[in-house]
Amino acid sequence: MRPASFGYHKATDLAHALALLAEFGDDGRPLAGGQSLVPMMNLRLARPAHLVDINALPLTAIERRGDVLHVGALVRHHRYLSDPLIAAHFPAFLEAVHWIGHPTIRNHGSIGGSISHADPTAELPAICLLYDATIIASSTGGDRRIAARDFFLGAYVTALQPGEMVTAVEFPIPPAKSTGAFIELGERRGDFAIASVGVALQWSGRQITGAAVVCCGARLVPIRASEVENLLIGRQLDAPDAAAIGRRFANTIEPVSDHSGSSAYRKHLIGELTRRTIERACQQALETA
Amino acid sequence: MTEITLAVNGTAKTVDVEPRRLLADVLRNDFNLSGVHIGCAHGACGCCTVQIDGVPRLSCLTFAVQCENVEITTVESMGGPDATHILQQAFKSEHGLQCGYCTPGFIMTLAPYVDTMLAQRRMPSDEEIREAMSGNICRCTGYHGIVSAVRKAIGDQLGSEAAA
Ligand SMILES: Cc1cc2nc3c(=O)[nH]c(=O)nc-3n(C[C@H](O)[C@H](O)[C@H](O)COP(=O)(O)OP(=O)(O)OC[C@H]3O[C@@H](n4cnc5c(N)ncnc54)[C@H](O)[C@@H]3O)c2cc1C
């Protein structure tokens, strides 16, 4: 199918984009990589009256600013794969990016688009939650700083208001001794996941001193597994007892059944992915220790 | 309607389009470039891949009005009617196609990949090749012939450079 008619507006700078978004309100939408919006428009699942093309805006930096990593809204997914700051400080982020779609999709899809689209099992929303990112939402009224845990409200629903757009995402740089992993399962390579788990660990000696765990597929938004995090702290890197932790976590969730799997299947899968991801992160910690 | 000038395969032409028109449709209908094949029209199959400034892009997820001031290339620019490009030749000899519907998309996705490997003077693993073409679907070949074609295109060039 083909999209319904819309007005096309190419924003020349941020002020222009925000003025256009303020003018159109609910009827306007930013157009970034188009890798989610255009399929939705082609299928007539979305019919925005106005598109504000933001691709010319200079929101493309990945850079350290004090103790945070600043990522501009228009950073394309493939950039992380060769970025030294991502590799050095955010290993679970780096692993997650390999699971996003295909090379052609990663060349054009942007972080602002991915988190605003908020697919329930998209990788970058999960990574924002895992690393306690802050999302900067800008409008003609100024900037709002929204914690990732307050940003994702439901499947394809975020805290963004009409007239607002994401301009950047800030990731606090983790302490020196930290590592992480991200594993998912989909029907085919490059598909959206059925479920995924991301883990970020800190340690001292051989003991885990800090843990963050994120899971997609348990609910219609990514969730932090705080019970798993608490269980991990104090355990030894070479004996995290990940299988038992995975089973315990699986017993606390009630995933929905859908075309890609029953609730029971997802529970089992998430327990298993939790085990594998914890073990992988611990292994990486031991290798760097 | 919006008047836009597109540079396609080295030639600029001005056309009048509605903003909602996909680059894929404009290339096929207004530029008569029927090598741009449309499979799914929502980004899932890779058939309509073209290059924008040398980078593969799905022309079904791109509006033509977005494409002023860039260089668009389609499969027609590659090896002409005789398909003389090294990758096209390798697709032929390695049975990288059968019905041919997906082939332009594969060629446009993989030609820059072959160039990158040649610049790095490196033969990728089969797994890397499969990852590079993972956004393109072929229902005939089972992909083995396509992987061999990529290996052959890279191998022949690396070999002839080594011999020279
Ligand atoms: C075949 C295929 C496979 C894919 N597989 C995956 C996958 O495995 N994992 C995954 O995560 N993604 C996947 N994607 C989606 C891809 O990652 C998208 O790029 C991403 O979800 C959206 O980014 P975009 O820049 O293309 O946004 P667009 O499509 O341009 O926009 C998406 C939405 O966000 C809004 N928007 C865009 N930018 C902003 C902004 N700065 N502020 C506010 N709102 C904004 C738009 O108005 C729209 O509502 C896939 C896509 C395809 C076609």
Side-chain angles (χ1 to χ4, degrees):
Chain A
M1 276 168 47
R2 296 297 184 271
S5 295
F6 59 86
Y8 174 78
H9 313 270
K10 194 167 177 66
T12 48
D13 56 28
L14 181 59
H16 186 208
L18 297 180
L20 288 167
L21 290 170
E23 180 188 339
F24 301 135
D26 252 340
D27 294 332
R29 288 228 206 162
L31 170 64
Q35 307 296 298
S36 293
L37 180 56
V38 184
M40 304 259 296
M41 290 175 66
N42 289 0
L43 296 166
R44 302 267 175 130
L45 295 171
R47 305 178 68 134
H50 296 278
L51 288 189
V52 177
D53 186 342
I54 60 172
N55 284 287
L57 307 190
L59 305 171
T60 57
I62 307 180
E63 63 195 16
R64 191 174 180 145
R65 294 192 184 167
D67 48 14
V68 301
L69 185 79
H70 170 103
V71 178
L74 283 169
V75 169
R76 315 292 169 167
H77 310 327
H78 74 102
R79 292 257 312 275
Y80 309 117
L81 298 174
S82 58
D83 189 277
L85 290 168
I86 298 285
H89 300 295
F90 300 95
F93 192 156
L94 181 62
E95 289 199 354
V97 173
H98 287 97
W99 294 98
I100 305 177
H102 317 291
T104 306
I105 308 295
R106 295 199 290 264
N107 276 334
H108 299 99
S110 67
I111 190 166
S114 176
I115 65 174
S116 306
H117 182 62
D119 188 286
T121 60
E123 290 78 4
L124 294 180
I127 288 302
C128 289
L129 198 63
L130 178 69
Y131 285 113
D132 294 313
T134 299
I135 288 127
I136 320 281
S138 306
S139 68
T140 49
D143 288 354
R144 280 204 298 153
R145 299 174 58 84
I146 308 169
R149 65 177 172 279
D150 300 324
F151 187 80
F152 302 103
L153 304 181
Y156 313 105
V157 183
T158 69
L160 287 175
Q161 297 295 316
E164 268 184 333
M165 64 174 268
V166 175
T167 44
V169 183
E170 286 178 0
F171 295 88
I173 305 234
K177 280 202 169 173
S178 58
T179 188
F182 191 96
I183 302 181
E184 72 177 49
L185 190 97
E187 276 178 53
R188 284 167 301 261
R189 176 168 213 151
D191 281 8
F192 276 101
I194 297 170
S196 60
V197 174
V199 173
L201 292 181
Q202 276 108 54
W203 73 91
S204 170
R206 294 194 144 226
Q207 194 173 50
I208 298 171
T209 55
V213 178
V214 74
C215 170
C216 291
R219 300 224 333 249
L220 292 177
V221 286
I223 55 168
R224 281 282 287 267
S226 46
E227 195 193 346
V228 176
E229 296 171 358
N230 293 334
L231 286 169
L232 280 171
I233 292 170
R235 299 213 172 175
Q236 298 295 310
L237 287 172
D238 51 4
D241 202 8
I245 293 181
R247 279 196 301 273
R248 252 179 95 159
F249 177 48
N251 282 330
T252 67
I253 54 173
E254 281 301 330
V256 294
S257 298
D258 67 11
H259 62 92
S260 61
S262 65
S263 176
Y265 169 75
R266 269 176 209 252
K267 268 175 103 121
H268 179 80
L269 174 63
I270 287 168
E272 176 60 18
L273 289 175
T274 304
R275 176 185 75 77
R276 288 187 204 171
T277 315
I278 291 171
E279 286 176 354
R280 184 172 166 86
C282 287
Q283 194 53 44
Q284 286 175 358
L286 287 168
E287 279 161 20
T288 41
Chain B
M1 300 285 264
T2 312
E3 191 169 276
I4 54 169
T5 301
L6 298 185
V8 184
N9 298 336
T11 310
K13 181 171 143 182
T14 300
V15 288
D16 219 10
V17 297
E18 275 184 275
R20 72 191 192 100
R21 287 193 64 209
L22 302 175
L23 178 62
D25 290 322
V26 170
L27 291 173
R28 286 179 60 82
N29 300 326
D30 302 47
F31 286 79
N32 292 324
L33 295 168
S34 56
V36 180
H37 289 179
I38 299 175
C40 69
H42 61 264
C45 76
C47 276
C48 69
T49 308
V50 300
Q51 288 163 18
I52 295 197
D53 291 334
V55 178
R57 169 132 196 149
L58 298 173
S59 60
C60 78
L61 298 188
T62 310
F63 296 111
V65 287
Q66 294 181 270
C67 299
E68 285 195 291
N69 307 314
V70 295
E71 285 290 334
I72 302 163
T73 38
T74 70
V75 75
E76 282 83 353
S77 72
M78 299 301 284
D82 295 327
T84 53
H85 187 277
I86 52 161
L87 186 58
Q88 291 171 320
Q89 288 293 309
F91 262 64
K92 189 173 165 192
S93 68
E94 300 304 301
H95 303 286
L97 73 158
Q98 185 183 315
C99 86
Y101 197 81
C102 68
T103 313
F106 272 93
I107 298 285
M108 298 313 283
T109 303
L110 290 169
Y113 180 73
V114 168
D115 290 343
T116 304
M117 290 302 113
L118 291 176
Q120 295 175 7
R121 304 182 161 275
R122 175 165 94 76
M123 176 61 81
S125 67
D126 284 4
E127 193 181 342
E128 287 174 277
I129 297 172
R130 284 175 186 272
E131 168 63 18
M133 62 191 221
S134 60
N136 294 74
I137 293 178
C138 170
R139 305 303 298 268
C140 300
T141 62
Y143 303 100
H144 292 292
I146 302 177
V147 173
S148 320
V150 174
R151 291 182 65 85
K152 181 169 167 54
I154 297 171
D156 284 358
Q157 290 301 107
L158 290 178
S160 64
E161 279 174 27

